[in-house]
Amino acid sequence: MQAVILAAGEGSRLRPLTRSKPKAMLPVANRPIIEYVIDALLENGIRDIVVVVGYRKEDVIRHLNRLDAPIEVVVQERQLGTADALRAAESEITEDFLVLPGDNYINAESVARIKQERNAMLVAEHPNPSNFGVVVIRNGLVREIIEKPEDAPTFTVSTGVYSFTPDVFSFLRTTEIPDALAAMIAAGRRIRAIPADDWQDAIYSWDLLKLNSRMLKSVRPKIGGQIDASVIRRGVVRIGTGTTIGPNTVIYGPVTIGDNCNIGPNCVIMPDVSIGDRVVLEPFTYTADSLIMNDVNIGSHSRIVSAVFGQGCILADHTTTYPSASYIEVGGRPQKEEFGAVLGEGVRAGPFTTFKNCIAGNSVTIEGGKTVVGLLEDGTRVM
C-alpha cells in the first residue's frame, strides 16, 4: 500500500512558532511531528511513502533526507488547499493509498484500522469540534462533513486521515479534500467512518503542551551526558550526548533533554518537560509542563510553567511564566485557554520579567521588571 503525507502547509494558527518552519517540523518531545506519522506507517509495513512539501520546503526535505526511510518528495508550488496538495502527488500513485496530515500525531493502531478499508475516513471525538470538519455518520457511513461550524451538531471530527482508491483524483474538483468526499457521497460512493485509536492535533500554539505531554509517554530512558552523583532522577528521563547536569538538580520524568545542554546546579525539572539541544538552565530554575526548543538560555531563579519557548530565546534571571486564562484573538477568533507563555524565536527578556497568558512574537524584546499579558506582535519592544 502507498501513503501520501501532506506537509505543505504553514499552520498559521500556530504563529509565531511557524513563521520560520512548517507545522509538521515543530519539535514535540524533541522530534518533528512528521516523524511520528512516518513511524506509524512503517510499523504497519507501509514503506511506499510520498510527502508533499510546500511552505519552507527546504527544511522538510533536509530532514527527510536524514531519515532511514524510502520517501519520495513532491512539491505543491502554491499552498491552495489539501486537494491541491494531493493532486501534486497524483503521478506517484499506482494503487490504493492512505492520505495523512504531516502535522498531526497518529498512532500505528489507528493506521492499522483504516489501511484495509477502501474509501474510508478516520474519525475521532473532540471537545472542540468547531475547529475541525465535523462528520455526520449514519450506519457507519459518512453522510456529511461540515467545515468548522459555529454550532457543531456532533463531537465527531475528521482527523484528515483517509483511505482512497486512485479514482479519487477524478473527484478533486476544488482545493479541499472534504469537497471531494461530498462529491463522492453524492455520486453514491460509500465512505466508511473508522474510529481512531489515538489521534492528536495542535490547532493553536498552546495545544503543543498537550501533544508534548502525550508524546513524552513513549520516550525511552537514556543517559548520554555527564550527570553529577548528587542528581536525583525519578521516572523516565532521557538525556542527550554532551549534556551536563549540575549538582543537586532534581528531575522527575517523563522528561527529555537534548544534546550539549547545561543544566543546573540546583534546578528542578518536573514531569512533561522537553528541552531541545544546546539549552542552558541556570541555577535554581524550576521547570514544569513545558516545551523548550533549541538554543534557549533561561537565567537563574526562574520559574517556567506551562510554556512553549521558540528557538534562540534568551531570558534573564528571575523570569516567570504564570499560567492564567484570558481571551486571546487567534485567526480572527477569540480563544480562552489557560497557559503561561508561548514565545516565538529570538525573544529577549530582562530580569524579573513575568509572562502571564502571553503569546510573544518572534524577536520581541522586553526590558526587565515587566509583566506582559496577551499578544505581542513580531518585533515588539516593551520598555
Side-chain angles (χ1 to χ4, degrees), residues 1-24:
M1 193 174 200
Q2 294 181 284
V4 178
I5 299 175
L6 306 182
E10 173 190 348
S12 60
R13 287 179 288 184
L14 275 88
R15 293 174 184 167
L17 300 172
T18 54
R19 286 288 192 187
S20 62
K21 56 171 62 73
K23 181 181 172 184

Side-chain angles (χ1 to χ4, degrees), residues 62-63 88 106 109 116 171 226 265 282 307 322 354:
R62 193 160 42 241
H63 185 78
I106 191 75
E109 173 59 29
Q116 303 299 338
F171 292 94
Q226 296 181 336
E282 295 187 6
Y322 184 84
T354 298

Side-chain angles (χ1 to χ4, degrees), residues 42-263:
L42 296 177
E43 287 182 42
N44 278 276
I46 300 172
R47 301 186 63 81
D48 190 346
I49 302 171
V50 180
V51 177
V52 182
V53 299
Y55 176 74
R56 301 280 182 179
K57 61 182 180 292
E58 295 82 6
D59 290 346
V60 187
I61 294 170
R62 193 160 42 241
H63 185 78
L64 294 176
N65 286 340
R66 291 198 292 264
L67 299 181
D68 185 21
I71 295 172
E72 188 72 29
V73 175
V74 298
V75 177
Q76 182 190 22
E77 296 297 345
R78 298 169 61 198
Q79 283 66 73
L80 299 177
T82 53
D84 184 73
L86 183 54
R87 271 193 294 267
E90 183 174 4
S91 62
E92 304 295 329
I93 299 302
T94 59
E95 56 185 295
D96 293 355
F97 66 102
L98 298 181
V99 176
L100 308 96
D103 54 12
N104 292 188
Y105 168 74
I106 191 75
N107 71 340
E109 173 59 29
S110 295
V111 172
R113 290 183 179 187
I114 195 173
K115 72 176 184 178
Q116 303 299 338
E117 301 287 342
R118 305 187 83 204
N119 294 324
M121 168 195 289
L122 203 66
V123 298
E125 300 296 305
H126 197 280
N128 300 307
S130 294
N131 289 322
F132 302 89
V134 175
V135 184
V136 178
I137 301 170
R138 294 194 193 96
N139 299 320
L141 299 177
V142 177
R143 294 301 183 191
E144 187 181 5
I145 304 165
I146 310 167
E147 280 299 313
K148 300 180 178 68
E150 289 289 338
D151 297 308
T154 172
F155 289 97
T156 304
V157 302
S158 169
T159 64
V161 178
Y162 310 99
S163 175
F164 287 135
T165 55
D167 64 350
V168 69
F169 290 101
S170 64
F171 292 94
L172 298 180
R173 298 162 190 159
T174 67
T175 58
E176 300 296 340
I177 289 177
D179 294 337
L181 291 169
M184 294 171 72
I185 294 168
R189 298 295 180 91
R190 293 161 60 91
I191 308 295
R192 190 168 297 280
I194 307 297
D197 176 67
D198 191 3
W199 163 80
Q200 308 274 335
D201 187 17
I203 297 295
Y204 300 103
S205 52
W206 54 81
D207 293 331
L208 290 169
L209 294 171
K210 296 175 185 175
L211 189 57
N212 187 58
S213 175
R214 168 62 186 84
M215 302 322 305
L216 282 170
K217 289 178 171 60
S218 61
V219 165
R220 296 179 180 177
K222 171 190 171 184
I223 304 300
Q226 296 181 336
I227 315 300
D228 188 87
S230 63
V231 170
I232 296 174
R233 288 178 285 118
R234 297 288 186 269
V236 176
V237 176
R238 184 178 181 88
I239 299 173
T241 304
T243 287
T244 300
I245 311 292
N248 303 313
T249 287
V250 178
I251 306 174
Y252 289 95
V255 166
T256 182
I257 301 172
D259 298 335
N260 301 309
C261 296
N262 190 349
I263 310 295

Side-chain angles (χ1 to χ4, degrees), residues 313-334:
C313 293
I314 299 179
L315 311 173
D317 58 276
H318 295 86
T319 294
T320 299
T321 63
Y322 184 84
S324 176
S326 61
Y327 283 98
I328 295 180
E329 186 169 307
V330 180
R333 283 187 175 186

Side-chain angles (χ1 to χ4, degrees), residues 16-17 19-21 293 309-313 343-348 360-364:
L17 300 172
R19 286 288 192 187
S20 62
K21 56 171 62 73
M293 300 186 194
F309 289 170
Q311 184 168 328
C313 293
L343 308 185
E345 291 189 4
V347 172
R348 304 288 189 270
N362 300 304
S363 303
V364 165

